[in-house]
Amino acid sequence: MKNRLPNNRINSFNLATPPILARILNKLFPTPPANLINTPLQRGGRGTGELGNRFNGFSHSVETVKTVSTSCRSIITPLKRGVNGKDTAGSGALFGTFRLLAFALLLLPFTAHAKLNVVATTPDLGALAREIGGDKIELTTLARPTEDPHFVDAKPSFVVKLRRADVLIEGGAELELGWLPPLLENARNPKLEPGAPGRIAASQGIQLLEVPATLDRSKGDIHAAGNPHFIIDPANARIIAQHICDSFCQIDAKSCSTYQANLKKFTTALDLKLAAWQHLLAPFKGQHVVAYHNSWPYFGERFGLQIDLFLEPKPGIPPTPSHLAEVQAKMRELNVHVIIVDPYLNRRTAETVARNTGAAVLDVTQFPGGIKGTEGGYIPLLDYLASSLAKALEGKLPAATTPGS
């Protein structure tokens, strides 16, 4: 007998099906897709590939069904053989029932309300998506928290993830320009086309800083739209969270009340924390801080810090000895004693400058999980940054020393 599901609807079982099982399956599958019910299941080693249908966006492989079927046969075979090694009456119906039940259990995880499949380009956007989506979303973050968002290692697996996504959250402002467009082109997902509800550009509605009057590559790696490192400003994170909520509600209206409640909870907590962070950093207003790369203007403006000295001579250009000498002279002139460095940048260069100036090097990140103590999400990330900077600016971090001193 060919291993085929019955052609009749699942909720129209024959009399051989036990009533209790029929009620269970009727509850699980009240209106199954016809193409799913009539699809042959390959047996043994006769062929490979996929079942040939998709149920709520999930692909069921033949091997998975074969595994479940094999497990059920191991249970049913003794019942079929009976006490004297012969088939007992009704064993065929019983075996068919168990096969049907196995397939029902296989599909059980997909009968619930399907979660939104969300892809975020960077961990900070992923953290905001999780705040709004909660357990209603399946979240994938492409960039690692220790990775430079300008130069993400674009893996082929990213194409698959984007192809299956309902929502893409990107920073925009050319942050991902060097790696995201080819992935989207190969993914060919109409849900992620510009202007679609599933395409969220975080830069929408943000007042971008450092927008160049003219584009001149001799000035380094500058962005035509402005500085793209805006998410680290809590006020901007609030705007982005609203965008995410609006998009989720448009795509998944049934869960909109949950998304809106999560948004309110997050923004309420964020507003309270912002006031606390501003109070913590208020005593250091106007002080200068050295950064390796020009990725902190939004944070500096929000908290009254002048993060305007950089170890890079121009954005994306490696430090030169002559430029570092100029930075060190400026640090002594302005009495600057803190250098901040992201995980993906060269900390040794910062340590050299710190030794020559008596400054301290502070490890920072704009991504949750980038350094220890920031793993819990966006608010814990800002907690770490505010408290660590306050400690460093107060002089409570050990200054770098010259070897042998």
Side-chain angles (χ1 to χ4, degrees), residues 356-368:
N356 294 336
T357 58
V361 178
L362 176 63
D363 294 306
V364 295
T365 181
Q366 297 197 11
F367 300 141

Side-chain angles (χ1 to χ4, degrees), residues 305-381:
L305 301 173
Q306 298 190 54
I307 310 178
D308 53 4
L309 293 174
F310 310 106
L311 300 186
E312 290 179 337
K314 297 174 183 178
I317 306 300
T320 61
S322 60
H323 174 71
L324 293 179
E326 293 175 4
V327 171
Q328 291 171 131
K330 199 69 175 178
M331 288 176 67
R332 296 187 186 98
E333 176 188 339
L334 299 174
N335 192 28
V336 182
H337 54 272
V338 176
I339 304 173
I340 58 177
V341 182
D342 294 86
Y344 51 83
L345 297 172
N346 191 337
R347 196 179 196 277
R348 289 184 178 181
T349 301
E351 291 172 345
T352 299
V353 173
R355 280 195 300 268
N356 294 336
T357 58
V361 178
L362 176 63
D363 294 306
V364 295
T365 181
Q366 297 197 11
F367 300 141
I371 54 180
K372 186 176 180 180
T374 65
E375 299 87 352
Y378 186 83
I379 289 179
L381 168 65

Side-chain angles (χ1 to χ4, degrees), residues 237-278:
R238 199 181 201 282
I239 296 172
I240 298 165
Q242 181 68 63
H243 291 333
I244 294 173
C245 181
D246 292 343
S247 176
F248 285 3
C249 281
Q250 191 172 353
I251 298 170
D252 181 20
K254 292 181 180 180
S255 301
C256 186
S257 59
T258 299
Y259 301 139
Q260 291 174 335
N262 290 344
L263 173 66
K264 184 176 181 180
K265 179 181 178 182
F266 172 69
T267 55
T268 299
L270 187 65
D271 291 343
L272 292 173
K273 279 291 189 176
L274 177 55
W277 297 326
Q278 288 175 321

Side-chain angles (χ1 to χ4, degrees), residues 46-340:
R46 301 178 185 176
T48 58
E50 292 189 344
L51 186 59
N53 65 277
R54 291 182 181 273
F55 186 79
N56 282 343
F58 291 88
S59 177
H60 303 278
S61 68
V62 172
E63 293 304 319
T64 303
V65 178
K66 284 163 55 182
T67 300
V68 175
S69 179
T70 301
S71 299
C72 286
R73 280 201 300 270
S74 66
I75 298 174
I76 298 303
T77 299
L79 296 177
K80 292 185 67 178
R81 290 174 179 170
V83 176
N84 297 320
K86 299 180 180 180
D87 284 358
T88 56
S91 62
L94 181 60
F95 181 50
T97 296
F98 267 82
R99 284 167 50 201
L100 190 58
L101 177 58
F103 192 76
L105 293 176
L106 177 66
L107 296 182
L108 181 58
F110 310 114
T111 62
H113 179 61
K115 295 184 178 183
L116 281 183
N117 193 345
V118 179
V119 174
T121 56
T122 54
D124 48 355
L125 292 171
L128 295 179
R130 179 61 70 194
E131 292 285 355
I132 306 305
D135 60 2
K136 297 289 185 181
I137 66 172
E138 292 288 347
L139 178 64
T140 298
T141 301
L142 300 183
R144 299 188 304 273
T146 55
E147 197 168 19
D148 187 339
H150 298 91
F151 306 105
V152 172
D153 182 15
K155 303 175 182 177
S157 61
F158 291 175
V159 174
V160 177
K161 293 173 181 177
L162 288 167
R163 187 175 296 149
R164 296 175 178 174
D166 299 307
V167 179
L168 169 64
I169 310 174
E170 60 178 318
E174 301 182 351
L175 178 68
E176 304 97 342
L177 184 62
W179 57 274
L180 183 60
L183 295 175
L184 288 171
E185 183 179 353
N186 284 283
R188 302 182 185 277
N189 185 344
K191 296 179 182 179
L192 309 185
E193 290 293 329
R199 183 75 174 267
I200 304 175
S203 58
Q204 179 185 355
I206 302 296
Q207 185 64 47
L208 296 175
L209 303 177
E210 302 175 354
V211 180
T214 58
L215 288 179
D216 184 354
R217 287 302 175 187
S218 66
K219 296 180 180 180
D221 186 16
I222 58 175
H223 300 270
N227 193 301
H229 304 284
F230 51 83
I231 306 172
I232 200 62
D233 179 353
N236 290 338
R238 199 181 201 282
I239 296 172
I240 298 165
Q242 181 68 63
H243 291 333
I244 294 173
C245 181
D246 292 343
S247 176
F248 285 3
C249 281
Q250 191 172 353
I251 298 170
D252 181 20
K254 292 181 180 180
S255 301
C256 186
S257 59
T258 299
Y259 301 139
Q260 291 174 335
N262 290 344
L263 173 66
K264 184 176 181 180
K265 179 181 178 182
F266 172 69
T267 55
T268 299
L270 187 65
D271 291 343
L272 292 173
K273 279 291 189 176
L274 177 55
W277 297 326
Q278 288 175 321
H279 178 75
L280 182 61
L281 292 172
F284 313 105
K285 186 175 182 178
Q287 289 197 24
H288 291 268
V289 175
V290 175
Y292 193 106
H293 178 71
N294 184 19
S295 55
W296 295 88
Y298 298 92
F299 185 91
E301 183 173 89
R302 178 60 53 192
F303 295 106
L305 301 173
Q306 298 190 54
I307 310 178
D308 53 4
L309 293 174
F310 310 106
L311 300 186
E312 290 179 337
K314 297 174 183 178
I317 306 300
T320 61
S322 60
H323 174 71
L324 293 179
E326 293 175 4
V327 171
Q328 291 171 131
K330 199 69 175 178
M331 288 176 67
R332 296 187 186 98
E333 176 188 339
L334 299 174
N335 192 28
V336 182
H337 54 272
V338 176
I339 304 173
I340 58 177

